[in-house]
Amino acid sequence: MVHELAEYEKAPHECHLTSEQLRTALFIESPALFGHVAEVDGRLVGFALWFLNFSTWRGTHGIYLEDLYVKSEMRGSGLGKALLTELAGECVRRGFSRLEWWVLNWNAPAINFYKSIGAVPMDEWTVYRVTDEALDALGTAGRV
């Protein structure tokens, strides 16, 4: 389903995840990645993959939702909200102060859904990322 999500997000060429990588990340002794799945009639139809972040301003952990996906034929059935409700419950139970994620600017259905549950965009922030050659160059530069 991660590859289905990449297809939906118009970036299938960027998704290199293998089943073995996902299994290892989720089921090692002390995982840094966690997941919830949505199942209907014994069939997996959605998932939420997340990890912990930390707010230095609030002094608590939070959940960063890496991916939320529900198969197209199941969208609108409440499964996406159920997955987010479960993650919000994790935050409440653990005393975390926030649940956050990114959404593509063109994804109007997702944006409308997120706004309907009370999520607000963080428009004053710009996401930065270092990958590939730039990451290698930065990571192998001499230490200061």
Side-chain angles (χ1 to χ4, degrees):
M1 285 189 289
V2 172
H3 288 273
E4 291 174 24
L5 173 60
E7 185 76 35
Y8 175 78
E9 292 185 347
K10 304 174 185 172
H13 58 284
E14 294 181 30
C15 185
H16 306 288
L17 180 73
T18 66
S19 296
E20 185 58 34
Q21 287 173 316
L22 184 58
R23 186 174 10 272
T24 299
L26 287 169
F27 299 110
I28 61 175
E29 186 171 325
S30 296
L33 179 69
F34 306 92
H36 290 77
V37 296
E39 187 178 350
V40 173
D41 297 327
R43 189 177 71 125
L44 294 180
V45 296
F47 68 89
L49 292 174
W50 57 277
F51 53 87
L52 296 180
N53 59 18
F54 188 83
S55 170
T56 54
W57 289 16
R58 292 184 175 234
T60 65
H61 280 289
I63 287 179
Y64 180 81
L65 174 61
E66 178 65 21
D67 287 323
L68 174 68
Y69 179 74
V70 175
K71 288 184 168 283
S72 60
E73 68 270 16
M74 299 304 296
R75 292 184 192 139
S77 68
L79 292 172
K81 185 174 183 181
L83 287 164
L84 285 174
T85 298
E86 182 58 32
L87 294 187
E90 289 277 346
C91 289
V92 171
R93 286 187 294 276
R94 296 178 184 213
F96 297 166
S97 59
R98 63 185 177 197
L99 168 60
E100 60 189 1
W101 61 91
W102 300 349
V103 61
L104 291 164
N105 291 331
W106 59 258
N107 194 346
I111 291 168
N112 291 334
F113 165 60
Y114 297 146
K115 286 181 177 179
S116 79
I117 62 167
V120 294
M122 303 295 294
D123 294 333
E124 68 274 14
W125 294 88
T126 300
V127 175
Y128 282 85
R129 178 179 290 165
V130 179
T131 63
D132 303 324
E133 294 84 16
L135 180 62
D136 290 340
L138 183 61
T140 58
R143 294 187 184 236
V144 179

